[in-house]
Amino acid sequence: MPTVQANGIGIYYEVQGEGEPLVLIPYLAADQACYAFQIAEYAKHFTCFTVDLRGAGLCDKPEGAYTTELLADDVAAFMQAAGVGRAHVAGLSLGAATGMWLAAKYPERVASLSLHSAWDRSDPFLRTVVEGWRVMAQGLGSVTEMVIQGIFPWCFTPELYAARPEYIDALADFVRGRPMPPVSAFLCQSQAVLSHDAREVLGAIQAPTLITFGQHDMVTSTRFAGPLTAAMPGADVVVFENCSHAPIYEDVDGFNQRTMAFLRQHSG
């Protein structure tokens, strides 16, 4: 089990594939396996480094104040410790928020940047949703069940629940089989979501950037497209129709094809 010491913590990661390095950053409460439906395709062309964030998976979970900037510092330190000099970087939701800080602070490390279900700063609606997840996690005493009962409905459309209930059940079983954080660590990590504000540094991002949204996402809806593209005017924007917050699961083929096209366009 590969673990490196970086930025004062132990960071777990896995490596698959061959080619230019691609660092995949997980979303809130998830471990590095959350990109299971992408790795098989990405690994055909890239050396994929899937990494656990502070507070989740098999990464250390120290107490204290977590911010998306701190998580980016962790990933930069991980890259240094693992010998990854420069890489394509992709992340969804919290992973995207972390990725934008990484690209802004450490431009020499980021060859391209893929921001999925991203937002520039947490607004009152997003904070209200996340505060609800925090209350639910504490009430249930389980981050696993909070994710399935509380976060899933924000990630998938009603149509997916109706048409493919067995798929939702399979995703729930997948979550139950992963190393989920204790409530205390989830509260630390979700605080990074609540406090996220990258407006002052987005203009420093130099890497070619892809920004994607789910058409029916409410948490990080296309209301954030304007602020993000204003700060990064050269960014490509893709909206996945018939998807909510997690196109990586709701439209696996479409997501993989479009994101792979961007990655290959900016490799070599």
Side-chain angles (χ1 to χ4, degrees), residues 157-174:
T157 58
E159 290 76 15
L160 184 66
Y161 272 87
R164 301 182 65 192
E166 73 289 346
Y167 182 56
I168 298 292
D169 290 342
L171 291 172
D173 288 343
F174 178 76

Side-chain angles (χ1 to χ4, degrees), residues 3-236:
T3 301
V4 296
Q5 294 296 315
N7 206 27
I9 61 172
I11 298 178
Y12 177 82
Y13 70 101
E14 294 187 2
V15 185
Q16 298 180 57
E18 296 181 356
E20 295 180 18
L22 167 61
V23 174
L24 294 158
I25 308 175
Y27 46 84
L28 179 65
D31 76 326
Q32 54 80 32
C34 66
Y35 292 105
F37 294 172
Q38 282 67 54
I39 288 296
E41 188 65 28
Y42 290 173
K44 295 176 183 177
H45 304 280
F46 297 92
T47 303
C48 299
F49 292 81
T50 51
V51 57
D52 285 347
L53 285 179
R54 175 187 298 248
L58 299 178
C59 192
D60 286 350
K61 303 168 182 64
E63 297 179 355
Y66 290 21
T67 65
T68 48
E69 181 178 5
L70 173 63
L71 298 178
D73 292 339
D74 289 346
V75 176
F78 155 77
M79 293 175 67
Q80 176 72 27
V84 183
R86 180 176 173 85
H88 303 276
V89 172
L92 185 141
S93 200
L94 176 60
T98 301
M100 61 182 68
W101 272 103
L102 179 69
K105 288 188 70 175
Y106 306 94
E108 72 284 357
R109 294 222 172 260
V110 180
S112 75
L113 181 64
S114 299
L115 304 176
H116 310 302
S117 302
W119 75 107
D120 62 326
R121 69 176 180 95
S122 296
D123 63 7
F125 181 80
L126 189 152
R127 288 198 299 270
T128 299
V129 172
V130 175
E131 289 285 8
W133 296 342
R134 288 161 61 90
V135 170
M136 186 177 290
Q138 293 175 88
L140 290 171
S142 167
V143 174
T144 301
E145 294 309 311
M146 179 279 299
V147 167
I148 294 166
Q149 298 178 44
I151 295 184
F152 268 30
W154 293 93
C155 289
F156 310 120
T157 58
E159 290 76 15
L160 184 66
Y161 272 87
R164 301 182 65 192
E166 73 289 346
Y167 182 56
I168 298 292
D169 290 342
L171 291 172
D173 288 343
F174 178 76
V175 171
R176 292 189 177 105
R178 300 310 306 165
M180 296 297 286
V183 172
S184 59
F186 173 75
L187 294 177
C188 288
Q189 202 181 62
S190 57
Q191 187 60 48
V193 177
L194 293 173
S195 63
H196 175 65
D197 186 345
R199 290 175 295 174
E200 292 187 0
V201 300
L202 289 175
I205 294 175
Q206 302 172 14
T209 301
L210 171 68
I211 303 170
T212 75
F213 297 96
Q215 181 184 26
H216 300 292
D217 187 5
M218 292 180 65
V219 182
T220 56
S221 73
T222 53
R223 70 185 183 279
F224 293 113
L228 287 170
T229 55
M232 297 177 285
D236 296 339

